[in-house]
C-alpha cells in the first residue's frame, strides 16, 4: 500500500494511504483534541475539536482529512484555537458542571479537551445559562443515560449501528431539543437494545455510565467463563470482590468487545447462592460432599446405564475442545450416539 | 439515442371535440383552495347548469350541438393575494376575449354569470386583469418572463392532455430521438442553467459528473428536491401543483442524460395538494407510456416514485434528503463523497430542485441559446421570487435574472404598501440577509447578491418598511434555523441558541455593548464549524443586519429604543389630548381594556395594563395614538 510522508507540527510522520491526519497523529503520539472520533468507528466530523491547519488548504477537520504526501499540518494556530475554543465553550455552556460527582470524573474526554484547549472564562460566563433539566433514562438494568451530560457526539449511535448492528438508539428531535433515544423517544429497555454496554464503554463523557460504578483497585486479565467464544476480559477486583468487567482490547479474538453476560454478569461469583461444593441427594436432602466421592458416584451410575439408555446434553459454557471430549466419551465409552447440545435449541 | 423509427411521438392526445363558447379557469392552487376555490368552482358549475343556456362540457370527452362552457381548475398564477382568481374567456364570432376576476367568492358567481357570461358585459369593478382595459394589476406581469411558470394557471394539472397540448413531453421525445446523453448535458450546460435550490451550481456540469461516475451497484438515481423548507417560499409548490408533468419531463430527460432509470420526487407532507396532483400525473404519464418501462417505445426506462418527507427543513439538504429516502433520520453527512459519486444507497445520484427541473424541457425544446439569451453575466434564464411583506402587490413573480431589486419591488410589487418608507429587503430567507435602500440597484444575480452578504437562495423576498425592526427580523430567521438544526454539529446546535438569546436580550432592552462582539464571534464560529449549509449560512441574517443596520442594534442597546416600535419591551403607547376626538375606536380595539375615556372625551392608556400590541395605533384615524 502506498505510504504518504507528511509533517505534523514539524514532526515527520509516515502513514499508509487512507489514514486520516488524526489517526496518523495518534499513532505518532501527537495529541489532537477530539470528541466524536474513535479509531474503531467511521468518522463523522461533528465536534470540530480536531480542527488543524493544513498549509495551502486552511482549516480542516483532521478526523476526516486523509494524509497526503508532503502535507504540512499544524495543530496550533490562531485560526485553529478560535474555532475549537468557541465550539468547546458552547459545549461546556450546555453541559452539567458538577464534575466531582460524575462517574467519569478524571476519565472524561471533555475534561481532557478543555484542559488542552482552554476557555475564555468571561465569554463562557456570558454564554452560560440555566438549563432545563432533562429526565434520566434509568430503564436499563445495567446502565443509566443522563442527557444533561451528553455531548451528542453520536459515538453510542454509531457503535450500536456499525459494531453491534442493533440500531437500538438514534438521534431524536431537532435543535436544542436533540436527544439520543430509542425509536419514538422510548426508554432503552423498550427498544431492541441487548444491553451489551458497548456504547457505555465508548461514551467519552459521563452520559452513559454503568449502574455499578465502583472503581476496582486492581485489574486481572482473564477469559470470560460464560461461553465457548472465550472473549478476553479485564476483571476489576476490590477487596477480593469482582466489581467490574471490561473487554480486553489486546485480545485478538474479541478485540475489546463483550456481550451483556460477560460485561455485567459477574455478580454470581460472589453470590451466596452459588454452589461451591458438589451436592449429593440422600434421603431427599442435598448433602455437601468432596469431589472424589461425587465423581465415584457418577462413575457408578454411568456404568449402570451403558448404551442407548444414556444421553448427554453438552453446555455452551464449554469450549469446542471440551465439547469434543464429551461427544467422544459418549460414543466410545458409553456406546451411544445420543448426544445433544444446548446451543441447538 | 435510440432508433427514432420505433419511438412514438407524444402527440396521441385526446384532442378537444368542442371549442366551448365560454372557458372558465379557476385557481385551485393551495392559495385558491384556501380562499374558497372549490366552492367557487361548484357555484359556477351549478350556476351555469341552472341557466339552461350553456351545457357544461369536458371538451376532450363531450360533444355539444348548442352553446357550451367548460370549467377547469388551474394552478397558481402568482397573484395569491387576489385569490380566488377566475379567468373568463368568451368566444363570439371567432373573437376571443379574456378577463380575470379577483377575490371572487361564491356570492359573486351569479352576477358574473348573469351579466358577463349571458349578458356579454364583464363586471368591470371586479376585474383585476384584462387585455382590453388594463388595470394596475397588469403591471404585475409586465416585467415578468414566465418560463418556469409557463403552464401554471393556464392548464389543468390533472389532465395530461392539457400539458401535451401545450407542447409537453416534446423535449423528452427530442432527447430520445435526436440526442446522445452527452449532447443533453452539453445543451443544459450551454444554457447556463444553475441550480435554483440555493447553491446555484451549473446543472449541466452536475449531470456530467453523475453521468461519468462509475456505479458499483449498477444503478444510478435521479432525485427531485421538492422539500421547499424556506419560510415564505412557495414557488416549488406552485410548480408541483400547477404543472407537475414539467418536473417529471425534466427528470426523465435528466435520467436519460446521467443513465439513471429510477427517480424519486421528494415532497414535504405539508403539501398534500401537490402530492395528490403528482400521483394523478404520474399515473397518467405511465398509462400513456411517457414514464415507466420503455418510454415512448424506446429502450429507455425511467421509473418514478413519490416520496413524502415529514417536513424538516434540514431534509432539503441533499445528503439528509437521501438518508430520509433510505428510511433513516435525515441528517446531513460530510461531502465528499458527493452524491454524484455515492448518493442514494451508495449509488451515483443526481439531485435537482423543482424549479431547475421545470426549466429543462423548455431548454431542450426552445434551445440553449434562448435560455442563455435571458439573464445577466453568469446568471442565465429566469428566477421565480416569492415577493411578500410591505409591497402593494405580493405573490410569485418570475423575472429574467439581472433585473434590479428596485424593478422587482417597485414595478412588479407596485411599490411600498400604504406608501410607507422602505426600510430593507430580506433576500434568500433564513440563509440570506437584509439589504438597505442603498443596495436597491443590486441585480438579481448570484454573484452580485452574494457580494452583499445576501443570496438569491430559493427566492424569498420580504420587503420591510419603517414598522419592521431589523433586529427583530434577524431574530425571527435565527429562531427558525436554530429550531431546525439537526443537532449534529456543536456550533450549529448550541451556537444558534446562544445567538438567539443574545438577540432576544437586545430586543428586550437588556443588551450590552459586548453582545455585538459576541454575536460576531459566535457567527464566525458557526460558519466555520458547521458541517452543512444550514449552520454555514444560519448567521447570515444577523451578519448582514449588523453590516448594514448596526446603528439599530446600538440604539436598542444604548438608547433602549426600537425605532420601528416593534419590540414591545422598548415601546410605549400614549394618546395626545390635542387630536383625540374620543371616537372610541382605540378602546374598542384594545384586547385588554387598557384604554379608558368617556365618549367624545380624551382617552387615556393605562401603561400598566397595556400589552403593547399596537391595535389602538392601527385603529386611530386622527393620529392621536403615538408610540416611542
Ligand atoms: C438546510 C438546507 C436546506 C435546503 N433545502 C432545499 C430545498 O428545500 N429545496 C431545494 O431544492 N434545495 C434545498 N437545499 C439545497 C440542496 O442541498 C441541493 O443543493 C439542491 O437540491 C440541488 O438542486 P439544484 O442544483 O437544482 O439547486 C437545501 C440546502 C440546505 C443546506
Ligand atoms: S447496549 Fe449495546 S445494544 Fe444497547 S444501545 Fe448500547 S450498543 Fe446498542
Ligand atoms: S451518550 Fe455519550 S456517546 Fe452517546 S452521544 Fe451522548 S456523549 Fe456521545
Ligand atoms: S450544520 Fe447544523 S443542520 Fe447542518 S449537519 Fe450540522 S447541526 Fe446539522
Ligand atoms: S473528532 Fe473530528 S470533528 Fe470530532
Amino acid at each position: 500500500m502506498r505510504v504518504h510522508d507528511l509533517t505534523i507540527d514539524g514532526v515527520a510522520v509516515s502513514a499508509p494511504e487512507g489514514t486520516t491526519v488524526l489517526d496518523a497523529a495518534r499513532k505518532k503520539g501527537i495529541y489532537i483534541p477530539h470528541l466524536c472520533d474513535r479509531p474503531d468507528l467511521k468518522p463523522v466530523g461533528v465536534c470540530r475539536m480536531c480542527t488543524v491547519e493544513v498549509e495551502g488548504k486552511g482549516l480542516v477537520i483532521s478526523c476526516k482529512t486523509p494524509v497526503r504526501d508532503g502535507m504540512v499540518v499544524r495543530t496550533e494556530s490562531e485560526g485553529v484555537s478560535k474555532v475549537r475554543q468557541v465550539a468547546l465553550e458552547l459545549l461546556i455552556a450546555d453541559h452539567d458542571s458538577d464534575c466531582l460527582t460524575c462517574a467519569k470524573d478524571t476519565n472524561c474526554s471533555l475534561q481532557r479537551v478543555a484542559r488542552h484547549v482552554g476557555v475564555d472564562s468571561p465569554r463562557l460566563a456570558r454564554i452560560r445559562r440555566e438549563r432545563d433539566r432533562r429526565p434520566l433514562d434509568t430503564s436499563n438494568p445495567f446502565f443509566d443515560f443522563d442527557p444533561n451530560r451528553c455531548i451528542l457526539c453520536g459515538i453510542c449511535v454509531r457503535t450500536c449501528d456499525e459494531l453491534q448492528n442493533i440500531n437500538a438508539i438514534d438521534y431524536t428531535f431537532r435543535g436544542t431539543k436533540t436527544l439520543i433515544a430509542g425509536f419514538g423517544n422510548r426508554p432503552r429497555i423498550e427498544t431492541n437494545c441487548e444491553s451489551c454496554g458497548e456504547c457505555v464503554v465508548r461514551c467519552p463523557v459521563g452520559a452513559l455510565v454503568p449502574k455499578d460504578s465502583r472503581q476496582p483497585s486492581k485489574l486481572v486479565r482473564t477469559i470470560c467463563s460464560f461461553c465457548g467464544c472465550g472473549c478476553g476480559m479485564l476483571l476489576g477486583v476490590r477487596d477480593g470482590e469482582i466489581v467490574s468487567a471490561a473487554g480486553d482490547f489486546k485480545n485478538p479474538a474479541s478485540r475489546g468487545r463483550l456481550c451483556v453476560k460477560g460485561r455485567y454478569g459477574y455478580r454470581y461469583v460472589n453470590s451466596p447462592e452459588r454452589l461451591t461444593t458438589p451436592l449429593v441427594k440422600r434421603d431427599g436432602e442435598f448433602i455437601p460432599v468432596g469431589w472424589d466421592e461425587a465423581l465415584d458416584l457418577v462413575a457408578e451410575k454411568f456404568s449402570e446405564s451403558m448404551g442407548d439408555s444414556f444421553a448427554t446434553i453438552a453446555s455452551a459454557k464449554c469450549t469446542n475442545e471440551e465439547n469434543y471430549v464429551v461427544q467422544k466419551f459418549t460414543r466410545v465409552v458409553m456406546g451411544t450416539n445420543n448426544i445433544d447440545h444446548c446451543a441447538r435449541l | 439515442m435510440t432508433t427514432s423509427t420505433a419511438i412514438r411521438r407524444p402527440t396521441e392526445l385526446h384532442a378537444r371535440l368542442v371549442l366551448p363558447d365560454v372557458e372558465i379557469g379557476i385557481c385551485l392552487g393551495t392559495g385558491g383552495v384556501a380562499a374558497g376555490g372549490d366552492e367557487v368552482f361548484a357555484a359556477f358549475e351549478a350556476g351555469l347548469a341552472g341557466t339552461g343556456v350553456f351545457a357544461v362540457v369536458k371538451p376532450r370527452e363531450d360533444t355539444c350541438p348548442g352553446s357550451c362552457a367548460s370549467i377547469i381548475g388551474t394552478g397558481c398564477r402568482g397573484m395569491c393575494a387576489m385569490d380566488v382568481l377566475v379567468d373568463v374567456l368568451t368566444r363570439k364570432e371567432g373573437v376571443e376575449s379574456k378577463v380575470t376576476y379577483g377575490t371572487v367568492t361564491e356570492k359573486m358567481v351569479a352576477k358574473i354569470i348573469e351579466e358577463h357570461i349571458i349578458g356579454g358585459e364583464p363586471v368591470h369593478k371586479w376585474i383585476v386583469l384584462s387585455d382590453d382595459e388594463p388595470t394596475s394589476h397588469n403591471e404585475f406581469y409586465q416585467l415578468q418572463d414566465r418560463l418556469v411558470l409557463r403552464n401554471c394557471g393556464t392548464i389543468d394539472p390533472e389532465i395530461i392532455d392539457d400539458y401535451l397540448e401545450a407542447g409537453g413531453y416534446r423535449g423528452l421525445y427530442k432527447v430520445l430521438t435526436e440526442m446522445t446523453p452527452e449532447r443533453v448535458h452539453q445543451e443544459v450546460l450551454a444554457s447556463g442553467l444553475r441550480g435554483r435550490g440555493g447553491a446555484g451550481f451549473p446543472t449541466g456540469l452536475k449531470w456530467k459528473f453523475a453521468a461519468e461516475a462509475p456505479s458499483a451497484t449498477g444503478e444510478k438515481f435521479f432525485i427531485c428536491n421538492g422539500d421547499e423548507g424556506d419560510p415564505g417560499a412557495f414557488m416549488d409548490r406552485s410548480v408541483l401543483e400547477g404543472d407537475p408533468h414539467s418536473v417529471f419531463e425534466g427528470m426523465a430527460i435528466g435520467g436519460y442524460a446521467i443513465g439513471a432509470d429510477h427517480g424519486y420526487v421528494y415532497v414535504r407532507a405539508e403539501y398534500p395538494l401537490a402530492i395528490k396532483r403528482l400521483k394523478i400525473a404520474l399515473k397518467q404519464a405511465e398509462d400513456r407510456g411517457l414514464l415507466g418501462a420503455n418510454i415512448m417505445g424506446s429502450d429507455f426506462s425511467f421509473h418514478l416514485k413519490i416520496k413524502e418527507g415529514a417536513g424538516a427543513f434540514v431534509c432539503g439538504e441533499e445528503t439528509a434528503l437521501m438518508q430520509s429516502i433510505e428510511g433513516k433520520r435525515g441528517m446531513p453527512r460530510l461531502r465528499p463523497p458527493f452524491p454524484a459519486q455515492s448518493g442514494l444507497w451508495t449509488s451515483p445520484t443526481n439531485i435537482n430542485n423543482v424549479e431547475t427541473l421545470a426549466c429543462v424541457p423548455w431548454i431542450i425544446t426552445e434551445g440553449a441559446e434562448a435560455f442563455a439569451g435571458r439573464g445577466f453575466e453568469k446568471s442565465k434564464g429566469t428566477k421565480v421570487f416569492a415577493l411578500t411583506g410591505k409591497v402593494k402587490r405580493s405573490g410569485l413573480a418570475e423575472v429574467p435574472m439581472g433585473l434590479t431589486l428596485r424593478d422587482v419591488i417597485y414595478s412588479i410589487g407596485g411599490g411600498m404598501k400604504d406608501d410607507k418608507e422602505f426600510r430593507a429587503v430580506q433576500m434568500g430567507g433564513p440563509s440570506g440577509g437584509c439589504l438597505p435602500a442603498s443596495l436597491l440597484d443590486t441585480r438579481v444575480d448570484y454573484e452580485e447578491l452574494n457580494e452583499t452578504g445576501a443570496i438569491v437562495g430559493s427566492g424569498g423576498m420580504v420587503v420591510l418598511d419603517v414598522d419592521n425592526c431589523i433586529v427583530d427580523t434577524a431574530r425571527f430567521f435565527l429562531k427558525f434555523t436554530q429550531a431546525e438544526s439537526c443537532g449534529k454539529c456543536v456550533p450549529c446546535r448550541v451556537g444558534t441558541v446562544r445567538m438567539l438569546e443574545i438577540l432576544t436580550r437586545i430586543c428586550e432592552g437588556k443588551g450590552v455593548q459586548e453582545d455585538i462582539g459576541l454575536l460576531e464571534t459566535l457567527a464566525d464560529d458557526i460558519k466555520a464549524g458547521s458541517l452543512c449549509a444550514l449552520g454555514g449560512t444560519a448567521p447570515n441574517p444577523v451578519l448582514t443586519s449588523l453590516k448594514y443596520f448596526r446603528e439599530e442594534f446600538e440604539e436598542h442597546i444604548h438608547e433602549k429604543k426600537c425605532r420601528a416600535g416593534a419590540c414591545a419591551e422598548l415601546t410605549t403607547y400614549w394618546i395626545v389630548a390635542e387630536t383625540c376626538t374620543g371616537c372610541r375606536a382605540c378602546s374598542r380595539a384594545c384586547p385588554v381594556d387598557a384604554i379608558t375615556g368617556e365618549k367624545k372625551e380624551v382617552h387615556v392608556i393605562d401603561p400598566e395594563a397595556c400589552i403593547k400590541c399596537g391595535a389602538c395605533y392601527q385603529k386611530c384615524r386622527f393620529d392621536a395614538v403615538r408610540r416611542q
Side-chain angles (χ1 to χ4, degrees):
Chain A
M1 190 184 278
R2 191 169 160 210
V3 170
H4 294 265
D5 295 315
L6 59 154
T7 68
I8 303 178
D9 290 340
V11 179
V13 176
S14 307
E17 171 106 11
T19 314
T20 65
V21 170
L22 179 59
D23 269 333
R26 189 161 25 214
K27 292 216 178 78
K28 193 78 185 173
I30 301 169
Y31 176 65
I32 299 179
H34 59 273
L35 287 171
C36 67
D37 187 77
R38 271 201 59 105
D40 51 4
L41 297 173
K42 289 193 200 113
V44 284
V46 298
C47 75
R48 302 277 144 175
M49 291 308 144
C50 69
T51 303
V52 295
E53 198 161 303
V54 172
E55 215 163 77
K57 276 183 93 176
L59 299 181
V60 298
I61 45 175
S62 58
C63 69
K64 272 285 213 178
T65 308
V67 292
R68 285 273 166 275
D69 252 331
M71 208 178 212
V72 179
V73 180
R74 289 173 60 207
T75 68
E76 295 291 337
S77 77
E78 203 181 316
V80 168
S81 329
K82 206 172 148 210
V83 166
R84 65 183 186 196
Q85 192 175 46
V86 178
L88 172 69
E89 285 165 13
L90 287 169
L91 259 187
I92 296 178
D94 208 39
H95 189 90
D96 276 354
S97 45
D98 55 344
C99 288
L100 281 180
T101 57
C102 174
K104 272 284 180 72
D105 189 30
T106 71
N107 190 18
C108 163
S109 300
L110 185 60
Q111 286 179 339
R112 175 155 195 212
V113 170
R115 263 199 310 277
H116 189 89
V117 171
V119 296
D120 175 330
S121 305
R123 187 166 59 206
L124 181 57
R126 283 198 71 72
I127 53 178
R128 222 186 227 301
R129 53 148 197 169
E130 279 300 304
R131 298 156 63 235
D132 301 331
R133 291 210 59 83
R134 302 217 205 166
L136 272 54
D137 180 353
T138 56
S139 64
N140 186 289
F142 306 112
F143 58 83
D144 293 338
F145 171 61
D146 182 353
N148 306 294
R149 296 193 201 276
C150 172
I151 54 169
L152 291 166
C153 64
I155 284 178
C156 53
V157 176
R158 283 177 283 143
T159 301
C160 199
D161 174 22
E162 291 172 29
L163 298 180
Q164 300 301 96
N165 289 298
I166 309 257
N167 291 290
I169 47 175
D170 203 342
Y171 288 82
T172 46
F173 307 117
R174 295 195 287 276
T176 37
K177 297 197 175 69
T178 313
L179 181 72
I180 308 287
F183 183 73
N185 194 17
R186 248 172 267 161
R188 277 164 177 69
I189 197 68
E190 290 174 28
T191 67
N192 54 338
C193 167
E194 296 187 345
S195 303
C196 66
E198 292 295 335
C199 56
V200 180
V201 189
R202 284 174 179 73
C203 177
V205 295
L208 279 169
V209 288
K211 283 202 156 74
D212 180 0
S213 60
R214 287 176 293 168
Q215 294 297 309
S217 46
K218 71 168 183 186
L219 294 177
V220 178
R221 173 163 280 129
T222 181
I223 300 292
C224 176
S225 63
F226 266 106
C227 83
C229 287
C231 297
M233 67 192 322
L234 296 165
L235 287 176
V237 181
R238 174 169 170 160
D239 189 23
E241 194 186 334
I242 298 173
V243 295
S244 70
D248 178 2
F249 281 85
K250 295 212 172 97
N251 184 296
S254 55
R255 284 180 247 157
R257 288 160 66 187
L258 292 175
C259 77
V260 56
K261 291 177 285 180
R263 190 178 310 282
Y264 297 117
Y266 51 78
R267 292 203 176 202
Y268 78 94
V269 176
N270 295 103
S271 168
E273 286 170 23
R274 185 177 161 207
L275 302 185
T276 47
T277 63
L279 298 174
V280 171
K281 204 174 208 174
R282 281 194 197 121
D283 304 329
E285 237 180 278
F286 282 111
I287 312 290
V289 296
W291 280 105
D292 283 348
E293 189 184 340
L295 287 173
D296 284 350
L297 182 64
V298 170
E300 184 192 321
K301 295 274 178 196
F302 275 18
S303 53
E304 286 169 11
S305 319
M306 303 293 281
D308 283 344
S309 62
F310 184 86
T312 55
I313 296 181
S315 165
K317 287 192 80 160
C318 302
T319 61
N320 271 350
E321 292 79 355
E322 286 162 343
N323 275 313
Y324 175 81
V325 171
V326 168
Q327 66 82 29
K328 201 76 181 168
F329 172 81
T330 310
R331 286 188 224 275
V332 176
V333 180
M334 299 304 291
T336 177
N337 289 326
N338 292 341
I339 305 161
D340 213 333
H341 189 274
C342 73
R344 193 186 65 87
L345 300 173
Chain B
M1 193 163 43
T2 26
T3 43
S4 61
T5 46
I7 301 180
R8 293 186 306 273
R9 279 181 168 279
T11 45
E12 300 160 5
L13 57 94
H14 298 282
R16 289 169 196 259
L17 305 175
V18 288
L19 204 55
D21 306 286
V22 179
E23 286 181 29
I24 296 170
I26 298 169
C27 173
L28 290 185
T30 291
V33 171
D38 285 330
E39 289 74 20
V40 170
F41 194 101
F44 268 106
E45 248 177 352
L48 282 173
T51 59
V53 181
F54 293 99
V56 179
V57 296
K58 293 202 164 64
R60 297 184 200 278
E61 293 170 21
D62 307 329
T63 52
C64 172
S67 299
C68 62
S70 68
I71 312 176
I72 62 164
T74 71
C76 166
R77 47 203 99 180
M79 285 203 311
C80 304
M82 306 249 86
D83 261 322
V84 179
L85 290 156
V86 176
D87 296 327
V88 177
L89 181 141
T90 50
R91 291 196 178 86
K92 224 177 225 152
E93 285 128 26
V95 185
E96 288 185 359
S97 83
K98 179 174 157 187
V99 302
T100 304
Y101 293 107
T103 47
V104 176
T105 60
E106 264 175 283
K107 292 199 193 80
M108 294 155 68
V109 173
K111 192 174 167 83
I112 296 173
I113 293 178
E114 194 185 309
E115 294 182 15
H116 184 175
I117 297 174
I118 298 183
E121 189 57 32
V123 188
H124 296 280
K125 60 180 175 184
W126 294 337
I127 291 179
V128 290
L129 287 174
S130 155
D131 290 335
D132 303 333
E133 36 185 320
T135 72
S136 69
H137 295 292
N138 281 46
E139 285 168 28
F140 184 72
Y141 293 99
Q142 237 157 43
L143 292 179
Q144 288 201 45
D145 186 359
R146 291 166 71 88
L147 181 160
V148 169
L149 303 174
R150 58 195 179 274
N151 295 323
C152 284
T154 56
I155 66 166
D156 184 335
E158 297 184 13
I159 301 178
I160 191 172
D161 297 291
D162 273 17
Y163 181 67
L164 290 170
E165 199 173 72
Y169 289 103
R170 302 286 164 82
L172 182 57
Y173 177 75
K174 184 170 169 189
V175 300
L176 292 179
T177 52
E178 295 172 25
M179 296 168 83
T180 59
E182 296 75 53
R183 270 292 299 140
V184 180
H185 17 100
Q186 278 161 14
E187 187 76 4
V188 174
L189 191 62
S191 75
L193 175 64
R194 291 168 67 173
R196 303 298 194 229
F201 191 82
T203 306
L205 205 55
K206 211 185 217 183
W207 290 11
K208 184 169 181 280
F209 291 151
E212 288 169 357
S215 172
T217 58
E219 285 217 81
K220 288 188 185 181
F221 292 100
F222 199 102
I223 300 176
C224 166
N225 187 342
D227 191 57
E228 193 163 64
D230 277 20
F234 60 106
M235 51 287 286
D236 293 349
R237 191 195 73 209
S238 291
V239 174
L240 294 173
E241 283 175 4
D243 195 13
H245 288 288
S246 67
V247 179
F248 291 166
E249 188 180 354
M251 289 181 77
I253 293 171
Y256 175 77
I258 71 160
D261 54 10
H262 285 272
Y264 284 87
V265 185
Y266 187 92
V267 201
R268 56 175 40 224
E270 289 95 326
Y271 284 178
L273 190 60
I275 292 166
K276 178 182 147 214
R277 300 231 167 109
L278 283 167
K279 286 185 175 159
I280 294 173
L282 179 57
K283 171 98 184 30
Q284 292 181 348
E286 284 173 347
D287 287 349
R288 300 283 178 98
L290 298 169
L291 285 177
N294 302 99
I295 291 176
M296 299 180 202
S298 72
D299 47 22
F300 171 63
S301 300
F302 190 66
H303 304 275
L304 262 185
K305 285 202 178 107
I306 316 281
K307 170 81 189 167
E308 293 175 39
F313 176 56
V314 74
C315 283
E317 197 279 340
E318 54 192 29
T319 59
L321 186 148
M322 288 176 213
Q323 300 254 312
S324 171
I325 293 182
E326 290 176 12
K328 301 182 187 141
R329 174 181 161 95
M331 286 173 106
R333 61 156 178 78
L334 264 183
R335 298 167 302 178
F338 287 95
Q341 280 97 45
S342 173
L344 192 59
W345 288 299
T346 69
S347 298
T349 303
N350 184 84
I351 176 164
N352 278 120
N353 166 260
V354 169
E355 194 183 329
T356 316
L357 290 168
C359 292
V360 169
W362 193 94
I363 292 171
I364 299 294
T365 43
E366 307 293 321
E369 304 78 46
F371 193 83
R374 297 164 155 85
F376 179 73
E377 293 189 352
K378 288 195 228 149
S379 304
K380 300 299 189 192
T382 60
K383 172 81 193 97
V384 185
F385 286 93
L387 181 63
T388 53
K390 306 292 180 59
V391 277
K392 291 209 172 80
R393 283 188 294 269
S394 57
L396 269 196
E398 180 172 357
V399 299
M401 287 271 187
L403 228 56
T404 64
L405 296 175
R406 192 185 300 283
D407 290 334
V408 177
I409 296 168
Y410 287 90
S411 296
I412 294 173
M416 299 300 293
K417 200 175 192 167
D418 302 328
D419 296 314
K420 288 206 175 161
E421 193 188 323
F422 172 92
R423 166 68 60 82
V425 53
Q426 211 287 345
M427 288 288 309
S431 317
C434 262
L435 303 180
S438 59
L439 291 175
L440 272 177
D441 291 314
T442 310
R443 286 171 198 271
V444 175
D445 166 87
Y446 289 103
E447 278 70 29
E448 259 196 54
L449 270 173
N450 280 355
E451 220 153 273
T452 64
I455 56 168
V456 173
S458 61
M461 205 186 260
V462 187
V463 180
L464 308 178
D465 69 11
V466 285
D467 292 337
N468 297 108
C469 170
I470 298 290
V471 187
D472 192 45
T473 307
R475 180 169 68 148
F476 168 83
F477 283 106
L478 199 67
K479 196 168 178 178
F480 175 81
T481 33
Q482 78 81 20
E484 292 295 328
S485 159
C486 84
K488 212 173 187 181
C489 310
V490 181
C492 169
R493 178 181 77 236
V494 196
T496 51
V497 199
R498 295 294 103 88
M499 285 183 74
L500 183 65
E501 285 161 4
I502 297 170
L503 288 174
T504 306
R505 267 200 315 253
I506 296 177
C507 286
E508 289 172 353
K510 296 178 195 144
V512 294
Q513 180 60 34
E514 296 87 78
D515 280 342
I516 293 186
L518 191 53
L519 276 177
E520 285 169 334
T521 307
L522 289 172
D524 286 347
D525 195 66
I526 296 169
K527 280 179 90 109
S530 288
L531 190 153
C532 84
L534 189 154
T537 59
N540 285 358
V542 179
L543 288 176
T544 48
S545 306
L546 275 171
K547 183 167 166 192
Y548 300 115
F549 302 93
R550 202 181 187 91
E551 71 284 359
E552 290 195 29
F553 285 78
E554 287 168 348
E555 264 169 27
H556 279 76
I557 292 172
H558 300 301
E559 297 168 39
K560 308 291 172 213
K561 173 179 149 194
C562 170
R563 60 168 88 169
C567 295
E569 276 80 358
L570 299 184
T571 307
T572 44
Y573 288 86
W574 74 96
I575 295 173
V576 282
E578 292 75 42
T579 45
C580 175
T581 63
C583 74
R584 291 210 148 155
C586 58
S587 57
R588 274 199 295 269
C590 178
V592 292
D593 293 331
I595 307 180
T596 49
E598 291 302 311
K599 198 170 178 185
K600 300 222 167 107
E601 276 175 30
V602 173
H603 281 47
V604 196
I605 300 176
D606 173 4
E608 297 290 309
C610 171
I611 55 163
K612 300 165 184 180
C613 69
C616 54
Y617 184 82
Q618 304 291 346
K619 275 280 163 357
C620 180
R621 283 173 291 127
F622 306 100
D623 197 21
V625 180
R626 302 285 170 83
R627 74 173 172 209
Q628 172 73 69

